[in-house]
Amino acid sequence: MAHIHPLPKLLGSTVALKAAMAVSGLLLVGFLVGHMVGNLQVFGLFGGREAMNAYGAFLHSKPILLWVARIGLLVMIAIHIGSAMALIQRNQAARPIGYHMKKPIASTYASRTMRWSGPIITAYILYHLAHFTVAGVGIPGYPLMDAQSRVDIYQHVVNSFQSPLVSLIYIVAMSLLSMHLWHGLWSLFQSLGLSNARWNVLKRPMATGLTVFIIAGFMAVPLGVLFGIVK
Amino acid sequence: MKNIDLTLHVWRQENPKDTGRFDQIEAKGISTHASFLEMLDVVNDRLLAQGKRPIAFDHDCREGICGSCGVMINGEAHGPVRGTTACQLHMREFDTRGIKELWIEPWRAKAFPVIQDLVVDRSAFDRIIQAGGYISVKTGQAPDANAVPVRKDDADQAFQAATCIGCGACVASCPNGSAALFVGAKITHLGLLPQGQTERASRVLNMVTKMDDESFGACTSHGECEATCPKGIKLDVIARMNGDYRRSVAAGG
């Protein structure tokens, strides 16, 4: 039987857009894991100032790879947000008149707030880039240099997170990210059609475990600075 | 046996164009043995006796297998009892929960326009079925039993998916008005059986395309559909639909 649906229509379906969100989301989670592990170098156990600043210098010594990665991330974010916006529009149009009373039974706070945690995390990323990557917003004397005239990323981190406000913004953003990840890491299996009677019971624990791993790793940095472990 | 007094807030809408409103109706002396629909019958008899228009609601088999009778009761599709259609819901369930006030609303979805009061037009589901929810077979003598072997697991899963009665509770309870559970149930039911393989690839493309064209929303894995499905259809069927769709598009659409 011949299919009469043109490919652009098939790739623009709700099912295809959800698959696009799952793939882009999964790649962004991969980036988060790498970013988080890189951050842990601020702790003395993992090398502290020397490791952190050498790591930054190493990344900047490979500009082509760095820009390929950056552009790749931007494309993934664009796909993720673009698909989300298209789906939100369709989902809202699917119920023009709401209920007087509607009880959530199985949905979670995380699942119901994806469309709010998403934009807030996006806003946070813009601030985060302005803070550490582009302009050193809130860091006096940015960029600071270390003894080997490398960018002193370690000092940027310490100086920033010694401000309780900066740490609070970071921790709040990570809390929202944790909810976003927790729902997304489970939902992406559904969206990609990965279902297996034997493995399905592991999906929620996996989502919880990976979320805790990522978020604990990120939160450790501001908490480490606030509690004087990193100074 | 016990009689209870209830206050109903029922959605009343004369026709699809009417904006509609809630009517407050006192339903006194309702037997706890009555089903939810029998309670509406009693209320309607009284409304008729008063010369008022009875509440329009959809119903047919009244034994939980036809899928006609779904309404939202206090914000839950088919009411507070899981795995139960509105016709199989008994008034004692409200009594034991201490509920004395009921908000009764029709399914809300762009694809399910209200015809009158609690009756919605669910023919969008029929059109999705027409788009691919079938198998083409040569008619003739019935084949020999067990002539086509089916794995026990597959037969069980297909049968479970086939229990979908198309009531629309999944769409009604989904925050996105998605029909993914309904379509997934059909894809799973037919796609697990040998007879459904020939059209498996085209079926999912045709049904998903139709589902989108009928203005249903997308699945975002809230799980409200699974929770309110009177037949216990599982979210797995949505994963199966998505997987079939992905493979079908990858194979060239």
Side-chain angles (χ1 to χ4, degrees), chain A residues 121-157:
Chain A
I121 292 163
T122 310
Y124 169 75
I125 291 171
L126 293 175
Y127 158 74
H128 188 59
L129 290 174
H131 178 197
F132 279 122
T133 314
V134 183
V137 170
I139 306 175
Y142 179 95
L144 302 169
M145 293 295 164
D146 68 4
Q148 287 105 306
S149 31
R150 297 175 301 204
V151 178
D152 199 348
I153 300 166
Y154 181 88
Q155 203 58 48
H156 291 165
V157 170

PDB file of all heavy atoms in Angstrom, chain A residues 121-157:
ATOM      1  N   ILE A 121      15.099  27.471  32.704  1.00  0.00           N
ATOM      2  CA  ILE A 121      16.456  26.935  32.536  1.00  0.00           C
ATOM      3  C   ILE A 121      17.148  27.642  31.356  1.00  0.00           C
ATOM      4  O   ILE A 121      18.338  27.960  31.430  1.00  0.00           O
ATOM      5  CB  ILE A 121      16.412  25.403  32.326  1.00  0.00           C
ATOM      6  CG1 ILE A 121      15.952  24.710  33.618  1.00  0.00           C
ATOM      7  CG2 ILE A 121      17.777  24.870  31.903  1.00  0.00           C
ATOM      8  CD1 ILE A 121      15.480  23.278  33.424  1.00  0.00           C
ATOM      9  N   THR A 122      16.392  27.910  30.286  1.00  0.00           N
ATOM     10  CA  THR A 122      16.966  28.638  29.147  1.00  0.00           C
ATOM     11  C   THR A 122      17.463  30.017  29.582  1.00  0.00           C
ATOM     12  O   THR A 122      18.572  30.432  29.229  1.00  0.00           O
ATOM     13  CB  THR A 122      15.918  28.792  28.026  1.00  0.00           C
ATOM     14  OG1 THR A 122      15.342  27.515  27.759  1.00  0.00           O
ATOM     15  CG2 THR A 122      16.550  29.344  26.758  1.00  0.00           C
ATOM     16  N   ALA A 123      16.627  30.712  30.351  1.00  0.00           N
ATOM     17  CA  ALA A 123      17.024  32.040  30.851  1.00  0.00           C
ATOM     18  C   ALA A 123      18.272  31.908  31.720  1.00  0.00           C
ATOM     19  O   ALA A 123      19.204  32.726  31.642  1.00  0.00           O
ATOM     20  CB  ALA A 123      15.881  32.661  31.649  1.00  0.00           C
ATOM     21  N   TYR A 124      18.296  30.853  32.527  1.00  0.00           N
ATOM     22  CA  TYR A 124      19.457  30.636  33.386  1.00  0.00           C
ATOM     23  C   TYR A 124      20.713  30.396  32.551  1.00  0.00           C
ATOM     24  O   TYR A 124      21.788  30.917  32.865  1.00  0.00           O
ATOM     25  CB  TYR A 124      19.230  29.445  34.338  1.00  0.00           C
ATOM     26  CG  TYR A 124      20.516  29.070  35.014  1.00  0.00           C
ATOM     27  CD1 TYR A 124      21.026  29.867  36.038  1.00  0.00           C
ATOM     28  CD2 TYR A 124      21.277  28.008  34.559  1.00  0.00           C
ATOM     29  CE1 TYR A 124      22.251  29.588  36.608  1.00  0.00           C
ATOM     30  CE2 TYR A 124      22.504  27.720  35.118  1.00  0.00           C
ATOM     31  CZ  TYR A 124      22.984  28.507  36.145  1.00  0.00           C
ATOM     32  OH  TYR A 124      24.203  28.251  36.695  1.00  0.00           O
ATOM     33  N   ILE A 125      20.574  29.622  31.457  1.00  0.00           N
ATOM     34  CA  ILE A 125      21.743  29.330  30.610  1.00  0.00           C
ATOM     35  C   ILE A 125      22.312  30.638  30.035  1.00  0.00           C
ATOM     36  O   ILE A 125      23.535  30.833  30.006  1.00  0.00           O
ATOM     37  CB  ILE A 125      21.358  28.348  29.467  1.00  0.00           C
ATOM     38  CG1 ILE A 125      21.063  26.963  30.043  1.00  0.00           C
ATOM     39  CG2 ILE A 125      22.494  28.242  28.435  1.00  0.00           C
ATOM     40  CD1 ILE A 125      20.472  25.981  29.044  1.00  0.00           C
ATOM     41  N   LEU A 126      21.406  31.543  29.617  1.00  0.00           N
ATOM     42  CA  LEU A 126      21.871  32.825  29.079  1.00  0.00           C
ATOM     43  C   LEU A 126      22.661  33.588  30.149  1.00  0.00           C
ATOM     44  O   LEU A 126      23.739  34.137  29.879  1.00  0.00           O
ATOM     45  CB  LEU A 126      20.677  33.660  28.587  1.00  0.00           C
ATOM     46  CG  LEU A 126      19.951  33.070  27.365  1.00  0.00           C
ATOM     47  CD1 LEU A 126      18.711  33.895  27.040  1.00  0.00           C
ATOM     48  CD2 LEU A 126      20.894  33.013  26.164  1.00  0.00           C
ATOM     49  N   TYR A 127      22.124  33.613  31.368  1.00  0.00           N
ATOM     50  CA  TYR A 127      22.824  34.270  32.474  1.00  0.00           C
ATOM     51  C   TYR A 127      24.162  33.573  32.741  1.00  0.00           C
ATOM     52  O   TYR A 127      25.197  34.231  32.933  1.00  0.00           O
ATOM     53  CB  TYR A 127      21.938  34.255  33.725  1.00  0.00           C
ATOM     54  CG  TYR A 127      22.722  34.422  35.009  1.00  0.00           C
ATOM     55  CD1 TYR A 127      23.253  35.663  35.365  1.00  0.00           C
ATOM     56  CD2 TYR A 127      22.949  33.329  35.848  1.00  0.00           C
ATOM     57  CE1 TYR A 127      23.990  35.805  36.526  1.00  0.00           C
ATOM     58  CE2 TYR A 127      23.681  33.463  37.001  1.00  0.00           C
ATOM     59  CZ  TYR A 127      24.203  34.704  37.346  1.00  0.00           C
ATOM     60  OH  TYR A 127      24.938  34.842  38.486  1.00  0.00           O
ATOM     61  N   HIS A 128      24.123  32.252  32.716  1.00  0.00           N
ATOM     62  CA  HIS A 128      25.312  31.439  33.014  1.00  0.00           C
ATOM     63  C   HIS A 128      26.426  31.708  32.001  1.00  0.00           C
ATOM     64  O   HIS A 128      27.603  31.831  32.360  1.00  0.00           O
ATOM     65  CB  HIS A 128      24.900  29.962  32.983  1.00  0.00           C
ATOM     66  CG  HIS A 128      25.949  29.001  33.461  1.00  0.00           C
ATOM     67  ND1 HIS A 128      26.486  29.047  34.721  1.00  0.00           N
ATOM     68  CD2 HIS A 128      26.559  27.955  32.823  1.00  0.00           C
ATOM     69  CE1 HIS A 128      27.375  28.066  34.851  1.00  0.00           C
ATOM     70  NE2 HIS A 128      27.439  27.393  33.716  1.00  0.00           N
ATOM     71  N   LEU A 129      26.040  31.835  30.723  1.00  0.00           N
ATOM     72  CA  LEU A 129      27.027  32.147  29.676  1.00  0.00           C
ATOM     73  C   LEU A 129      27.595  33.548  29.903  1.00  0.00           C
ATOM     74  O   LEU A 129      28.803  33.767  29.794  1.00  0.00           O
ATOM     75  CB  LEU A 129      26.380  32.049  28.290  1.00  0.00           C
ATOM     76  CG  LEU A 129      26.025  30.631  27.818  1.00  0.00           C
ATOM     77  CD1 LEU A 129      25.261  30.682  26.501  1.00  0.00           C
ATOM     78  CD2 LEU A 129      27.284  29.774  27.660  1.00  0.00           C
ATOM     79  N   ALA A 130      26.701  34.492  30.227  1.00  0.00           N
ATOM     80  CA  ALA A 130      27.160  35.864  30.488  1.00  0.00           C
ATOM     81  C   ALA A 130      28.067  35.889  31.715  1.00  0.00           C
ATOM     82  O   ALA A 130      29.027  36.655  31.779  1.00  0.00           O
ATOM     83  CB  ALA A 130      25.958  36.783  30.694  1.00  0.00           C
ATOM     84  N   HIS A 131      27.771  35.014  32.655  1.00  0.00           N
ATOM     85  CA  HIS A 131      28.508  34.976  33.915  1.00  0.00           C
ATOM     86  C   HIS A 131      29.918  34.421  33.720  1.00  0.00           C
ATOM     87  O   HIS A 131      30.911  35.087  34.001  1.00  0.00           O
ATOM     88  CB  HIS A 131      27.695  34.106  34.897  1.00  0.00           C
ATOM     89  CG  HIS A 131      28.322  33.918  36.241  1.00  0.00           C
ATOM     90  ND1 HIS A 131      27.922  32.927  37.097  1.00  0.00           N
ATOM     91  CD2 HIS A 131      29.314  34.573  36.874  1.00  0.00           C
ATOM     92  CE1 HIS A 131      28.635  32.983  38.200  1.00  0.00           C
ATOM     93  NE2 HIS A 131      29.495  33.974  38.096  1.00  0.00           N
ATOM     94  N   PHE A 132      30.017  33.218  33.187  1.00  0.00           N
ATOM     95  CA  PHE A 132      31.325  32.540  33.163  1.00  0.00           C
ATOM     96  C   PHE A 132      32.016  32.566  31.795  1.00  0.00           C
ATOM     97  O   PHE A 132      33.236  32.586  31.718  1.00  0.00           O
ATOM     98  CB  PHE A 132      31.159  31.068  33.576  1.00  0.00           C
ATOM     99  CG  PHE A 132      31.088  30.866  35.063  1.00  0.00           C
ATOM    100  CD1 PHE A 132      29.985  30.258  35.649  1.00  0.00           C
ATOM    101  CD2 PHE A 132      32.124  31.293  35.894  1.00  0.00           C
ATOM    102  CE1 PHE A 132      29.917  30.073  37.026  1.00  0.00           C
ATOM    103  CE2 PHE A 132      32.062  31.102  37.270  1.00  0.00           C
ATOM    104  CZ  PHE A 132      30.959  30.496  37.830  1.00  0.00           C
ATOM    105  N   THR A 133      31.211  32.507  30.703  1.00  0.00           N
ATOM    106  CA  THR A 133      31.810  32.234  29.402  1.00  0.00           C
ATOM    107  C   THR A 133      32.141  33.497  28.627  1.00  0.00           C
ATOM    108  O   THR A 133      33.217  33.618  28.043  1.00  0.00           O
ATOM    109  CB  THR A 133      30.849  31.362  28.555  1.00  0.00           C
ATOM    110  OG1 THR A 133      30.363  30.308  29.388  1.00  0.00           O
ATOM    111  CG2 THR A 133      31.557  30.770  27.352  1.00  0.00           C
ATOM    112  N   VAL A 134      31.191  34.437  28.620  1.00  0.00           N
ATOM    113  CA  VAL A 134      31.336  35.555  27.686  1.00  0.00           C
ATOM    114  C   VAL A 134      31.842  36.825  28.364  1.00  0.00           C
ATOM    115  O   VAL A 134      32.861  37.390  27.957  1.00  0.00           O
ATOM    116  CB  VAL A 134      29.988  35.845  26.974  1.00  0.00           C
ATOM    117  CG1 VAL A 134      30.161  36.953  25.956  1.00  0.00           C
ATOM    118  CG2 VAL A 134      29.457  34.575  26.316  1.00  0.00           C
ATOM    119  N   ALA A 135      31.154  37.249  29.425  1.00  0.00           N
ATOM    120  CA  ALA A 135      31.419  38.605  29.902  1.00  0.00           C
ATOM    121  C   ALA A 135      31.817  38.687  31.365  1.00  0.00           C
ATOM    122  O   ALA A 135      32.199  39.758  31.841  1.00  0.00           O
ATOM    123  CB  ALA A 135      30.173  39.461  29.672  1.00  0.00           C
ATOM    124  N   GLY A 136      31.771  37.610  32.093  1.00  0.00           N
ATOM    125  CA  GLY A 136      32.148  37.667  33.506  1.00  0.00           C
ATOM    126  C   GLY A 136      31.239  38.571  34.318  1.00  0.00           C
ATOM    127  O   GLY A 136      31.687  39.271  35.232  1.00  0.00           O
ATOM    128  N   VAL A 137      29.936  38.522  34.011  1.00  0.00           N
ATOM    129  CA  VAL A 137      28.972  39.343  34.741  1.00  0.00           C
ATOM    130  C   VAL A 137      29.039  38.996  36.237  1.00  0.00           C
ATOM    131  O   VAL A 137      28.894  37.827  36.611  1.00  0.00           O
ATOM    132  CB  VAL A 137      27.540  39.111  34.204  1.00  0.00           C
ATOM    133  CG1 VAL A 137      26.504  39.774  35.100  1.00  0.00           C
ATOM    134  CG2 VAL A 137      27.427  39.615  32.779  1.00  0.00           C
ATOM    135  N   GLY A 138      29.304  39.982  37.040  1.00  0.00           N
ATOM    136  CA  GLY A 138      29.368  39.749  38.484  1.00  0.00           C
ATOM    137  C   GLY A 138      30.723  39.286  38.977  1.00  0.00           C
ATOM    138  O   GLY A 138      30.876  38.964  40.152  1.00  0.00           O
ATOM    139  N   ILE A 139      31.730  39.195  38.087  1.00  0.00           N
ATOM    140  CA  ILE A 139      33.064  38.799  38.534  1.00  0.00           C
ATOM    141  C   ILE A 139      34.007  39.991  38.342  1.00  0.00           C
ATOM    142  O   ILE A 139      34.395  40.297  37.208  1.00  0.00           O
ATOM    143  CB  ILE A 139      33.600  37.582  37.734  1.00  0.00           C
ATOM    144  CG1 ILE A 139      32.604  36.416  37.787  1.00  0.00           C
ATOM    145  CG2 ILE A 139      34.967  37.149  38.275  1.00  0.00           C
ATOM    146  CD1 ILE A 139      33.011  35.233  36.934  1.00  0.00           C
ATOM    147  N   PRO A 140      34.368  40.724  39.426  1.00  0.00           N
ATOM    148  CA  PRO A 140      35.256  41.887  39.279  1.00  0.00           C
ATOM    149  C   PRO A 140      36.612  41.455  38.711  1.00  0.00           C
ATOM    150  O   PRO A 140      37.157  40.421  39.114  1.00  0.00           O
ATOM    151  CB  PRO A 140      35.391  42.407  40.716  1.00  0.00           C
ATOM    152  CG  PRO A 140      34.272  41.785  41.481  1.00  0.00           C
ATOM    153  CD  PRO A 140      33.987  40.475  40.817  1.00  0.00           C
ATOM    154  N   GLY A 141      37.117  42.230  37.748  1.00  0.00           N
ATOM    155  CA  GLY A 141      38.445  41.968  37.190  1.00  0.00           C
ATOM    156  C   GLY A 141      38.487  40.840  36.180  1.00  0.00           C
ATOM    157  O   GLY A 141      39.565  40.362  35.820  1.00  0.00           O
ATOM    158  N   TYR A 142      37.294  40.384  35.698  1.00  0.00           N
ATOM    159  CA  TYR A 142      37.215  39.276  34.729  1.00  0.00           C
ATOM    160  C   TYR A 142      37.913  39.658  33.432  1.00  0.00           C
ATOM    161  O   TYR A 142      37.738  40.781  32.980  1.00  0.00           O
ATOM    162  CB  TYR A 142      35.742  38.936  34.467  1.00  0.00           C
ATOM    163  CG  TYR A 142      35.490  37.835  33.471  1.00  0.00           C
ATOM    164  CD1 TYR A 142      35.298  36.534  33.895  1.00  0.00           C
ATOM    165  CD2 TYR A 142      35.417  38.112  32.102  1.00  0.00           C
ATOM    166  CE1 TYR A 142      35.045  35.518  32.986  1.00  0.00           C
ATOM    167  CE2 TYR A 142      35.163  37.105  31.190  1.00  0.00           C
ATOM    168  CZ  TYR A 142      34.978  35.809  31.639  1.00  0.00           C
ATOM    169  OH  TYR A 142      34.721  34.796  30.729  1.00  0.00           O
ATOM    170  N   PRO A 143      38.673  38.836  32.729  1.00  0.00           N
ATOM    171  CA  PRO A 143      39.081  37.509  33.169  1.00  0.00           C
ATOM    172  C   PRO A 143      40.326  37.555  34.059  1.00  0.00           C
ATOM    173  O   PRO A 143      41.305  38.217  33.717  1.00  0.00           O
ATOM    174  CB  PRO A 143      39.388  36.803  31.856  1.00  0.00           C
ATOM    175  CG  PRO A 143      39.793  37.883  30.912  1.00  0.00           C
ATOM    176  CD  PRO A 143      39.121  39.142  31.355  1.00  0.00           C
ATOM    177  N   LEU A 144      40.284  36.870  35.167  1.00  0.00           N
ATOM    178  CA  LEU A 144      41.446  36.779  36.060  1.00  0.00           C
ATOM    179  C   LEU A 144      42.431  35.760  35.458  1.00  0.00           C
ATOM    180  O   LEU A 144      42.027  34.842  34.768  1.00  0.00           O
ATOM    181  CB  LEU A 144      40.995  36.309  37.450  1.00  0.00           C
ATOM    182  CG  LEU A 144      39.955  37.188  38.143  1.00  0.00           C
ATOM    183  CD1 LEU A 144      39.395  36.479  39.371  1.00  0.00           C
ATOM    184  CD2 LEU A 144      40.545  38.542  38.521  1.00  0.00           C
ATOM    185  N   MET A 145      43.716  35.963  35.711  1.00  0.00           N
ATOM    186  CA  MET A 145      44.741  35.062  35.173  1.00  0.00           C
ATOM    187  C   MET A 145      45.471  34.381  36.330  1.00  0.00           C
ATOM    188  O   MET A 145      45.662  34.984  37.396  1.00  0.00           O
ATOM    189  CB  MET A 145      45.754  35.841  34.327  1.00  0.00           C
ATOM    190  CG  MET A 145      45.158  36.408  33.045  1.00  0.00           C
ATOM    191  SD  MET A 145      44.627  35.105  31.892  1.00  0.00           S
ATOM    192  CE  MET A 145      43.589  36.058  30.791  1.00  0.00           C
ATOM    193  N   ASP A 146      45.891  33.152  36.112  1.00  0.00           N
ATOM    194  CA  ASP A 146      46.653  32.471  37.164  1.00  0.00           C
ATOM    195  C   ASP A 146      48.158  32.665  36.926  1.00  0.00           C
ATOM    196  O   ASP A 146      48.561  33.396  36.006  1.00  0.00           O
ATOM    197  CB  ASP A 146      46.272  30.987  37.262  1.00  0.00           C
ATOM    198  CG  ASP A 146      46.706  30.178  36.045  1.00  0.00           C
ATOM    199  OD1 ASP A 146      47.380  30.739  35.151  1.00  0.00           O
ATOM    200  OD2 ASP A 146      46.363  28.980  35.984  1.00  0.00           O
ATOM    201  N   ALA A 147      49.030  32.025  37.726  1.00  0.00           N
ATOM    202  CA  ALA A 147      50.477  32.225  37.682  1.00  0.00           C
ATOM    203  C   ALA A 147      51.071  31.843  36.326  1.00  0.00           C
ATOM    204  O   ALA A 147      52.075  32.415  35.892  1.00  0.00           O
ATOM    205  CB  ALA A 147      51.146  31.417  38.798  1.00  0.00           C
ATOM    206  N   GLN A 148      50.420  30.864  35.651  1.00  0.00           N
ATOM    207  CA  GLN A 148      50.929  30.463  34.329  1.00  0.00           C
ATOM    208  C   GLN A 148      50.230  31.241  33.205  1.00  0.00           C
ATOM    209  O   GLN A 148      50.191  30.774  32.076  1.00  0.00           O
ATOM    210  CB  GLN A 148      50.723  28.953  34.109  1.00  0.00           C
ATOM    211  CG  GLN A 148      51.657  28.074  34.908  1.00  0.00           C
ATOM    212  CD  GLN A 148      50.958  27.428  36.089  1.00  0.00           C
ATOM    213  OE1 GLN A 148      50.352  28.130  36.899  1.00  0.00           O
ATOM    214  NE2 GLN A 148      51.028  26.114  36.196  1.00  0.00           N
ATOM    215  N   SER A 149      49.670  32.400  33.530  1.00  0.00           N
ATOM    216  CA  SER A 149      48.873  33.241  32.627  1.00  0.00           C
ATOM    217  C   SER A 149      47.818  32.474  31.834  1.00  0.00           C
ATOM    218  O   SER A 149      47.594  32.723  30.654  1.00  0.00           O
ATOM    219  CB  SER A 149      49.753  34.094  31.691  1.00  0.00           C
ATOM    220  OG  SER A 149      50.948  33.500  31.375  1.00  0.00           O
ATOM    221  N   ARG A 150      47.180  31.502  32.506  1.00  0.00           N
ATOM    222  CA  ARG A 150      45.969  30.884  31.965  1.00  0.00           C
ATOM    223  C   ARG A 150      44.770  31.577  32.625  1.00  0.00           C
ATOM    224  O   ARG A 150      44.909  32.176  33.692  1.00  0.00           O
ATOM    225  CB  ARG A 150      45.916  29.391  32.316  1.00  0.00           C
ATOM    226  CG  ARG A 150      47.040  28.577  31.719  1.00  0.00           C
ATOM    227  CD  ARG A 150      46.987  27.159  32.219  1.00  0.00           C
ATOM    228  NE  ARG A 150      47.077  27.097  33.678  1.00  0.00           N
ATOM    229  CZ  ARG A 150      47.501  26.023  34.350  1.00  0.00           C
ATOM    230  NH1 ARG A 150      47.858  24.926  33.689  1.00  0.00           N
ATOM    231  NH2 ARG A 150      47.551  26.028  35.661  1.00  0.00           N
ATOM    232  N   VAL A 151      43.600  31.498  31.963  1.00  0.00           N
ATOM    233  CA  VAL A 151      42.400  32.062  32.588  1.00  0.00           C
ATOM    234  C   VAL A 151      42.165  31.308  33.899  1.00  0.00           C
ATOM    235  O   VAL A 151      42.154  30.078  33.926  1.00  0.00           O
ATOM    236  CB  VAL A 151      41.170  31.927  31.662  1.00  0.00           C
ATOM    237  CG1 VAL A 151      39.926  32.465  32.353  1.00  0.00           C
ATOM    238  CG2 VAL A 151      41.404  32.663  30.347  1.00  0.00           C
ATOM    239  N   ASP A 152      42.009  32.065  34.993  1.00  0.00           N
ATOM    240  CA  ASP A 152      41.889  31.445  36.316  1.00  0.00           C
ATOM    241  C   ASP A 152      40.427  31.090  36.591  1.00  0.00           C
ATOM    242  O   ASP A 152      39.739  31.748  37.379  1.00  0.00           O
ATOM    243  CB  ASP A 152      42.445  32.389  37.393  1.00  0.00           C
ATOM    244  CG  ASP A 152      42.768  31.619  38.680  1.00  0.00           C
ATOM    245  OD1 ASP A 152      42.356  30.439  38.792  1.00  0.00           O
ATOM    246  OD2 ASP A 152      43.420  32.213  39.550  1.00  0.00           O
ATOM    247  N   ILE A 153      39.971  30.045  35.902  1.00  0.00           N
ATOM    248  CA  ILE A 153      38.568  29.621  36.030  1.00  0.00           C
ATOM    249  C   ILE A 153      38.251  29.298  37.488  1.00  0.00           C
ATOM    250  O   ILE A 153      37.177  29.640  38.001  1.00  0.00           O
ATOM    251  CB  ILE A 153      38.308  28.388  35.133  1.00  0.00           C
ATOM    252  CG1 ILE A 153      38.600  28.754  33.674  1.00  0.00           C
ATOM    253  CG2 ILE A 153      36.877  27.885  35.278  1.00  0.00           C
ATOM    254  CD1 ILE A 153      38.701  27.558  32.756  1.00  0.00           C
ATOM    255  N   TYR A 154      39.203  28.659  38.117  1.00  0.00           N
ATOM    256  CA  TYR A 154      39.030  28.277  39.525  1.00  0.00           C
ATOM    257  C   TYR A 154      38.664  29.502  40.367  1.00  0.00           C
ATOM    258  O   TYR A 154      37.711  29.470  41.155  1.00  0.00           O
ATOM    259  CB  TYR A 154      40.327  27.647  40.031  1.00  0.00           C
ATOM    260  CG  TYR A 154      40.277  27.186  41.469  1.00  0.00           C
ATOM    261  CD1 TYR A 154      39.838  25.900  41.790  1.00  0.00           C
ATOM    262  CD2 TYR A 154      40.669  28.033  42.509  1.00  0.00           C
ATOM    263  CE1 TYR A 154      39.799  25.473  43.099  1.00  0.00           C
ATOM    264  CE2 TYR A 154      40.624  27.618  43.828  1.00  0.00           C
ATOM    265  CZ  TYR A 154      40.197  26.336  44.118  1.00  0.00           C
ATOM    266  OH  TYR A 154      40.156  25.920  45.411  1.00  0.00           O
ATOM    267  N   GLN A 155      39.421  30.599  40.167  1.00  0.00           N
ATOM    268  CA  GLN A 155      39.160  31.810  40.963  1.00  0.00           C
ATOM    269  C   GLN A 155      37.807  32.425  40.599  1.00  0.00           C
ATOM    270  O   GLN A 155      37.094  32.934  41.470  1.00  0.00           O
ATOM    271  CB  GLN A 155      40.289  32.834  40.756  1.00  0.00           C
ATOM    272  CG  GLN A 155      40.427  33.832  41.906  1.00  0.00           C
ATOM    273  CD  GLN A 155      40.680  33.144  43.248  1.00  0.00           C
ATOM    274  OE1 GLN A 155      41.553  32.268  43.352  1.00  0.00           O
ATOM    275  NE2 GLN A 155      39.908  33.488  44.263  1.00  0.00           N
ATOM    276  N   HIS A 156      37.444  32.366  39.318  1.00  0.00           N
ATOM    277  CA  HIS A 156      36.114  32.861  38.907  1.00  0.00           C
ATOM    278  C   HIS A 156      35.028  32.125  39.685  1.00  0.00           C
ATOM    279  O   HIS A 156      34.072  32.730  40.167  1.00  0.00           O
ATOM    280  CB  HIS A 156      35.877  32.613  37.406  1.00  0.00           C
ATOM    281  CG  HIS A 156      36.728  33.455  36.507  1.00  0.00           C
ATOM    282  ND1 HIS A 156      36.891  33.176  35.173  1.00  0.00           N
ATOM    283  CD2 HIS A 156      37.478  34.560  36.748  1.00  0.00           C
ATOM    284  CE1 HIS A 156      37.694  34.071  34.625  1.00  0.00           C
ATOM    285  NE2 HIS A 156      38.069  34.929  35.567  1.00  0.00           N
ATOM    286  N   VAL A 157      35.192  30.803  39.762  1.00  0.00           N
ATOM    287  CA  VAL A 157      34.189  29.971  40.443  1.00  0.00           C
ATOM    288  C   VAL A 157      34.119  30.346  41.923  1.00  0.00           C
ATOM    289  O   VAL A 157      33.036  30.603  42.470  1.00  0.00           O
ATOM    290  CB  VAL A 157      34.529  28.467  40.281  1.00  0.00           C
ATOM    291  CG1 VAL A 157      33.648  27.601  41.179  1.00  0.00           C
ATOM    292  CG2 VAL A 157      34.376  28.040  38.823  1.00  0.00           C
TER     293      VAL A 157
END
